[in-house]
Amino acid sequence: MNSSQLLGITTFAYLLSAVLYISIFVFRAKKLGLTATLVTLAGFLINTAGIGMRWYESHQMGIGYAPLSNMYESLVFFAWSIGILYLGIELKYKNKILGAFAMPFAAMAMGLAGLKNQDIKPLIPALQSNWLIAHVVTCFIGYAAFAVASGFAIMYLIKDWREQSGSGGALIASLPDLKVIDDIIHKTLVFGFLWLSAGIITGAVWANSAWGTYWSWDPKETWSLITWFVYAAALHARFTRGWGGKRIAWFAIFGFVSVMFTYYGVNYLLAGLHSYGGS
Amino acid sequence: MKKTENAVWSFFASVKLALITLLILATTSIIGTIIPQKNPPEFYIQNFGPKTAQFFQLLDVPDMYNSWWFTALLLLFSINLIVCTIERLPNVWQMVVMNNLDTPIDRLEKMPTRKIFHGSASRQEMTQRVAAQLKEAGWPSQMEEKTNGTLLFSQKGAWSRLGVYAVHLSILIIFAGAIIGSAAGFKASVMIPEGSSTDTVYEYGSEKPIPLGFNVACDQFSVTYYDDGHTPREYRSVLTVRDSALAAPMTRPIIVNDPLDYRGITFYQSSYQPMQGFGVTITNKTSNASEDFQIPYGKKISWAGTDIEFGLINQQARSRMGDVSHVKFWFSDGQGDPATLWMEDKSTQSLSRQDAEYEITVRQLYATGLQVAKDPGVWVVYFGCSLMLIGLYVAFFLSHRRIWVYITEEAGNSRILLCGASSKNKIGFDKDFAALTERFEKNDVFQNA
């Protein structure tokens, strides 16, 4: 079995996982809970094997490198990060409805990956650095946390909106309490912020060892900093001004838009040093 | 006067200002990612029209991250950080060092997280048992006799309250590092042809010459490719530093991601330029005579003292950069017809002639492009970055947890009040507290109230 088959199965597993979790929520099919978790876990393990296999294949080709170097590989790792993060959250909060708002991101990431060029290509000299691994891993764990946080923010806003309009119903009641969702959003944001900071810092150290300047205001760097500012503002609003609930939920969604622009938009809309991320 | 001072102070001490500054920094930073930076003025006139271009120049948009207004925003941000810290740190410091044995008992009785036990032992004996239990559970305690009872106190992670200030300090340290770098350092570049050397580099943008104080030579530059023939695998320059302070010249190869550092100046492999010239080595295997030549393309060269003439009469380009993948070598020794050979760049071939065997090596000559940087602030920046990560971890994931136990005695029976509080992560602390009460419950000496 080669890596692209394994990652193909991963895409299918994450899609199935998302459908199962959404069914648990929408049809209140609690019986599907165990299946959903097992499918997610299996998807995550196959995802891991796929990344490992791709690494192995690159060595077979004599150009061994950690598969974290282009858009395809980063999307696969993004999905992997969402997978492990979500499984951790499910284990901690013992609530499967959360999956309906988290796993669709993993499925989407794998779906997008399927549209990218999947060739294993040798690394150009600028990418031949161990900082590549540290930088990509830290960034994407952070991105995954922000993706999941925005999913939970959507859940919060739906629940809040339906309850306000008095049209709650059993479906909405099955969602966790607003206070609980708010707490999960906050914890996920905090987690993501730490990893985003680490991602920006490892990127700066790498840039300094490759080009002799740790910060050059290239569009990708600048956008990562913009994202950092947005989340820093959200955290300060919460810690010192007691913001919570709807406002933080909107911040989480707004922040994730900024994350997506940093990750995706910059590569296609703006030119810069990170141009190799585009192919 | 005092009043205005207070107004200014409270303006800078407000978190609202911090929020607004963060969002303004975020929004204005977008401009420079959309409008290309550091291009010559003509670029902006051509792309945006003369009126907009003039407006851009007025607001330093072409170099906005170094503009007066962006610098002012960062300065505002820094002052805000400093003032907020001065405003809040003393209280927080007080929380870190305060003597919690002074906490009024009536406050303990009202703490949301609390549990009461009874026991038949005397107050003194009970105190000893409680202290032992706490110690066993990882909460070593201090003790103080009060008028009506005994108070025990234990805490963990008091210093974690400082985490957020470590993060704020780290930002200021990073700024300080950046200022040191731009005041005492430089960013420059230089192109050195193979076999040449330089003692001067040229500053970015201004092209101002900067003397190095020593001499750097490029002995050799090479670019190697992967099997696909066009993806570069490695750019490598062999550099030699010559300095009167050095006993002998120092030679070191550099590649991308592995620069050369000498006297605080770092040389990075950044680009290269193929030159219209080739290095040719001819060895007469029969007589063992050998000679190196640096020759231009398309010119007939003679090896002095022999009848040999040679040259390069055709070439195949590898890329638009002007790299050559193959050259056609022409050779004559005055005996018989001249020979021609298609040779790969950086390859050696043998050539049999009537009265001698020759070995010929051909390689294209390059100039290496180096980025040269001096940044004495970089370690300050790295220190700030490390402090930031540690500070964020402490601020987000550690908490100040405090446990009090107050023991009183009534008619031979003891009453034990166990209570606690945490600076954050209430749920995590409740678990700690539950584990502690469970420990007490398991012990026969204590009975639930």
Side-chain angles (χ1 to χ4, degrees):
Chain A
M1 187 119 24
N2 65 34
S3 68
S4 91
Q5 283 167 317
L6 286 170
L7 293 170
I9 299 171
T10 307
T11 310
F12 177 73
Y14 284 161
L15 197 64
L16 184 62
S17 147
V19 169
L20 285 168
Y21 282 118
I22 292 170
S23 307
I24 294 172
F25 168 49
V26 176
F27 306 116
R28 293 201 283 146
K30 285 205 168 145
K31 278 182 289 184
L32 293 176
L34 183 66
T35 318
T37 304
L38 289 177
V39 167
T40 311
L41 185 64
F44 170 71
L45 292 175
I46 298 167
N47 193 346
T48 312
I51 293 173
M53 184 60 92
R54 195 174 164 93
W55 203 328
Y56 175 74
E57 284 163 5
S58 73
H59 277 279
Q60 295 294 92
M61 289 169 68
I63 51 168
Y65 68 91
L68 301 165
S69 76
N70 55 28
M71 199 40 122
Y72 173 73
E73 290 166 345
S74 71
L75 280 164
V76 168
F77 186 74
F78 187 32
W80 184 90
S81 309
I82 295 170
I84 192 168
L85 190 69
Y86 170 69
L87 284 169
I89 291 173
E90 189 184 297
L91 192 70
K92 189 171 174 196
Y93 291 94
K94 312 252 181 292
N95 188 324
K96 310 227 178 211
I97 287 173
L98 296 172
F101 296 87
M103 287 313 288
F105 288 105
M108 271 189 273
M110 286 306 296
L112 269 177
L115 303 175
K116 302 290 165 191
N117 186 343
Q118 303 179 11
D119 296 346
I120 295 181
K121 287 212 184 110
L123 291 186
I124 58 166
L127 295 180
Q128 295 166 14
S129 166
N130 285 330
W131 288 107
L132 169 74
I133 301 176
H135 177 56
V136 175
V137 167
T138 47
C139 283
F140 280 92
I141 293 177
Y143 289 2
F146 293 139
V148 170
S150 76
F152 296 160
I154 292 168
M155 174 162 71
Y156 185 98
L157 293 172
I158 291 175
K159 178 151 178 147
D160 183 70
W161 166 59
R162 295 298 291 271
E163 280 187 349
Q164 293 292 315
S165 63
S167 56
L171 190 63
I172 294 304
S174 72
L175 292 173
D177 281 349
L178 286 178
K179 261 193 180 164
V180 175
I181 309 176
D182 183 56
D183 183 58
I184 303 177
I185 293 174
H186 173 66
K187 289 209 166 102
T188 322
L189 286 184
V190 155
F191 182 80
F193 190 72
L194 180 61
W195 285 97
L196 174 67
S197 307
I200 294 175
I201 289 171
T202 50
V205 175
W206 180 16
N208 192 48
S209 72
W211 298 303
T213 168
Y214 50 83
W215 196 262
S216 50
W217 293 104
D218 112 286
K220 193 91 166 182
E221 284 172 355
T222 308
W223 269 97
S224 71
L225 188 66
I226 292 168
T227 305
W228 194 86
F229 285 145
V230 170
Y231 285 112
L235 293 177
H236 281 85
R238 186 184 185 96
F239 283 134
T240 59
R241 304 186 66 80
W243 277 31
K246 248 161 60 169
R247 287 191 283 197
I248 290 295
W250 278 113
F251 248 121
I253 292 171
F254 182 54
F256 185 59
V257 171
S258 179
V259 168
M260 280 297 96
F261 195 80
T262 307
Y263 174 26
Y264 227 76
V266 172
N267 291 4
Y268 297 104
L269 302 174
L270 309 167
L273 291 170
H274 262 81
S275 47
Y276 30 76
S279 55
Chain B
M1 190 60 203
K2 189 77 187 160
K3 209 166 188 183
T4 44
E5 264 175 37
N6 282 345
V8 172
W9 183 262
S10 48
F11 171 76
F12 283 114
S14 92
V15 182
K16 206 173 185 176
L17 178 68
L19 279 174
I20 293 169
T21 316
L22 279 170
L23 292 177
I24 293 177
L25 278 169
T27 324
T28 52
S29 293
I30 298 174
I31 299 170
T33 68
I34 294 167
I35 296 162
Q37 297 289 293
K38 296 195 174 181
N39 280 310
E42 306 83 62
F43 171 87
Y44 300 95
I45 297 172
Q46 242 170 45
N47 286 279
F48 300 95
K51 277 220 170 116
T52 318
Q54 202 176 11
F55 176 71
F56 281 179
Q57 298 295 347
L58 195 70
L59 287 178
D60 281 342
V61 172
D63 190 10
M64 69 152 278
Y65 302 110
N66 296 308
S67 69
W68 59 269
W69 58 268
F70 197 75
T71 311
L73 269 176
L74 291 176
L75 189 68
L76 176 68
F77 184 60
S78 308
I79 295 172
N80 185 211
L81 256 177
I82 294 167
V83 175
C84 275
T85 304
I86 294 174
E87 186 81 358
R88 288 166 181 80
L89 189 56
N91 284 335
V92 172
W93 182 251
Q94 200 50 45
M95 291 292 286
V96 174
V97 298
M98 76 192 283
N99 182 4
N100 286 279
L101 289 167
D102 291 343
T103 315
I105 304 301
D106 56 333
R107 262 191 56 205
L108 298 181
E109 298 279 3
K110 281 184 231 147
M111 281 210 178
T113 308
R114 64 173 190 275
K115 186 113 187 161
I116 292 163
F117 297 95
H118 289 289
S120 48
S122 70
R123 172 173 147 194
Q124 217 169 10
E125 196 190 334
M126 206 46 112
T127 306
Q128 272 174 11
R129 282 173 191 258
V130 168
Q133 283 288 329
L134 283 174
K135 199 173 174 193
E136 221 175 278
W139 294 93
S141 55
Q142 302 161 279
M143 188 185 78
E144 195 173 291
E145 294 293 336
K146 302 276 171 187
T147 15
N148 299 318
T150 311
L151 183 63
L152 291 159
F153 173 74
S154 180
Q155 65 179 349
K156 285 178 184 173
W159 48 272
S160 74
R161 289 183 186 269
L162 300 175
V164 60
Y165 299 97
V167 176
H168 289 174
L169 179 67
S170 77
I171 292 171
L172 296 173
I173 291 174
I174 291 170
F175 283 168
I179 291 168
I180 293 172
S182 66
F186 61 76
K187 305 264 184 253
S189 65
V190 67
M191 210 76 193
I192 314 177
E194 282 181 283
S196 308
S197 70
T198 184
D199 52 13
T200 308
V201 294
Y202 303 91
E203 192 180 50
Y204 257 146
S206 71
E207 298 299 320
K208 194 185 85 184
I210 300 171
L212 290 172
F214 55 88
N215 186 285
V216 182
C218 172
D219 302 339
Q220 202 190 26
F221 172 84
S222 62
V223 45
T224 51
Y225 295 86
Y226 288 103
D227 294 341
D228 65 7
H230 59 82
T231 308
R233 178 196 284 270
E234 185 180 78
Y235 304 119
R236 172 186 289 262
S237 299
V238 179
L239 301 183
T240 296
V241 175
R242 289 184 180 82
D243 186 358
S244 49
L246 282 173
M250 178 180 82
T251 300
R252 227 205 85 176
I254 63 163
I255 57 173
V256 182
N257 278 309
D258 185 18
L260 163 74
D261 205 6
Y262 181 70
R263 277 177 37 187
I265 298 175
T266 315
F267 297 84
Y268 299 84
Q269 179 67 58
S270 123
S271 67
Y272 69 96
Q273 230 171 45
M275 302 208 298
Q276 284 301 316
F278 293 84
V280 175
T281 307
I282 303 177
T283 308
N284 182 331
K285 300 290 276 183
T286 317
S287 69
N288 266 331
S290 183
E291 188 81 26
D292 291 324
F293 303 88
Q294 291 202 355
I295 65 165
Y297 171 76
K299 195 173 169 210
K300 198 195 282 180
I301 307 293
S302 310
W303 183 352
T306 70
D307 293 331
I308 293 168
E309 289 181 316
F310 63 95
L312 300 169
I313 56 173
N314 203 348
Q315 58 185 5
Q316 259 175 22
R318 186 192 298 274
S319 73
R320 273 176 297 177
M321 284 283 295
D323 313 42
V324 167
S325 68
H326 292 84
V327 286
K328 194 172 187 180
F329 183 75
W330 178 92
F331 181 92
S332 162
D333 55 2
Q335 302 181 358
D337 290 336
T340 57
L341 297 170
W342 270 109
M343 294 182 69
E344 201 180 340
D345 183 37
K346 288 194 277 292
S347 73
T348 302
Q349 280 193 27
S350 304
L351 186 63
S352 285
R353 298 295 292 177
Q354 234 165 39
D355 51 1
E357 283 284 324
Y358 293 95
E359 211 170 67
I360 293 146
T361 306
V362 174
R363 60 185 195 88
Q364 189 175 19
L365 295 175
Y366 290 91
T368 185
L370 304 177
Q371 292 205 33
V372 186
K374 181 181 175 187
D375 190 344
V378 76
W379 290 105
V380 178
V381 172
Y382 285 180
F383 172 72
C385 290
S386 313
L387 182 65
M388 175 183 282
L389 290 180
I390 295 167
L392 284 173
Y393 176 77
V394 170
F396 290 151
F397 298 110
L398 301 184
S399 52
H400 181 197
R401 285 156 295 159
R402 293 181 287 173
I403 297 274
W404 290 266
V405 186
Y406 185 57
I407 302 157
T408 45
E409 189 178 336
E410 278 165 28
N413 276 328
S414 301
R415 175 182 181 270
I416 302 136
L417 166 70
L418 175 65
C419 61
S422 170
S423 60
K424 55 179 170 288
N425 190 12
K426 188 96 184 36
I427 299 165
F429 178 69
D430 283 349
K431 275 189 196 149
D432 285 359
F433 192 78
L436 198 59
T437 51
E438 201 182 327
R439 201 174 250 283
F440 277 65
E441 277 157 12
K442 273 193 190 144
N443 195 315
D444 298 338
V445 187
F446 310 101
Q447 289 124 36
N448 267 324

